[in-house]
Amino acid sequence: MTQEGKPKTPKHSQGGTGRSCGLCLFIFLLLAGASAVTVCLIYRPRKPRFTVVGAAIYQLNATSQPIFSTSMQFTIVTRNPNRRVSIFYDKLQAYVSYRNQQITPAMDLPPLYQEAKSTVALTPLLGSGTVPASAEVVNGLMMDEASGEVALRVVLLGKLRWKAGAIKTVKYGVYVKCDVWVGLKKGAVGPVPLLGAPPCKVDI
């Protein structure tokens, strides 16, 4: 039996706590969005540029269908064209494809910070593992190798943020496609000539 006149202890509702967390999350997202808009409106950051300037092939085994093994190294130059905006890259991965089929395992690259108006060279060694190979890949590579020219695509993907002063934007997905044509003679190992390497396509 309850005693009259005794004050009751107030109970905190879980709904109030949930609303507080939701409000904090909303404010955080609002501030992050405002920072991104501020950088975009004031500094108008431009996309980075990527170009392949060198290639080497150490292994190209297309005779063990359905398993394919290769080892390649590319020198990729990235340029930050912005005068007052730097770039942070996170969770970068790189791999090589042939005829829209991946022929090297995806390789994790270390985080990269690129200052304004700076150029950085990346030299990932891709391959050293096996991937499934279709008949189209095996036969196509054997024919291209016999002709002395192979068309490949180097792919980089990950996240980037722009930074201007103390302001950082949210993370954006970045997808880089670099189409290259290399000269390759059967049995050759090491650096190979670049027969064509236009600027890479960058999607953000």
Side-chain angles (χ1 to χ4, degrees):
M1 184 173 65
T2 60
Q3 298 180 356
E4 296 183 359
K6 184 177 180 180
K8 296 182 179 180
T9 303
K11 296 181 180 180
H12 298 285
S13 65
Q14 294 181 352
T17 303
R19 284 193 295 270
S20 298
C21 292
L23 181 60
C24 292
L25 179 61
F26 173 76
I27 293 174
F28 172 78
L29 294 175
L30 185 63
L31 292 175
S35 298
V37 171
T38 300
V39 172
C40 291
L41 291 179
I42 297 178
Y43 298 101
R44 299 183 182 278
R46 291 181 288 170
K47 295 189 293 185
R49 302 168 187 161
F50 290 79
T51 308
V52 176
V53 298
I57 296 181
Y58 301 106
Q59 182 185 11
L60 187 63
N61 182 7
T63 61
S64 55
Q65 187 182 353
I67 300 300
F68 180 84
S69 61
T70 184
S71 178
M72 306 178 180
Q73 188 169 31
F74 294 89
T75 301
I76 308 164
V77 172
T78 173
R79 173 71 176 171
N80 179 4
N82 298 286
R83 295 179 57 187
R84 294 183 292 176
V85 178
S86 55
I87 302 175
F88 288 91
Y89 296 92
D90 298 307
K91 299 180 179 179
L92 278 178
Q93 288 188 321
Y95 65 87
V96 179
S97 68
Y98 172 81
R99 296 191 179 183
N100 295 320
Q101 296 186 43
Q102 186 173 334
I103 61 172
T104 68
M107 176 185 177
D108 293 326
L109 303 181
L112 173 65
Y113 171 68
Q114 192 168 14
E115 297 181 351
K117 281 291 182 181
S118 66
T119 301
V120 176
L122 307 174
T123 56
L125 180 62
L126 306 174
S128 300
T130 58
V131 294
S134 67
E136 179 186 3
V137 166
V138 173
N139 295 334
L141 277 172
M142 292 179 66
M143 292 175 61
D144 289 348
E145 189 177 17
S147 69
E149 179 178 341
V150 179
L152 301 169
R153 172 174 288 175
V154 184
V155 178
L156 293 94
L157 67 162
K159 302 287 185 179
L160 70 74
R161 291 175 292 164
W162 283 291
K163 180 177 181 293
I167 301 176
K168 294 180 183 179
T169 68
V170 296
K171 293 182 179 181
Y172 294 90
V174 57
Y175 183 55
V176 183
K177 295 181 292 186
C178 305
D179 292 321
V180 297
W181 289 262
V182 299
L184 181 63
K185 295 181 179 179
K186 188 174 182 60
V189 176
V192 294
L194 282 177
L195 305 179
C200 306
K201 183 179 180 181
V202 181
D203 293 321
I204 295 177

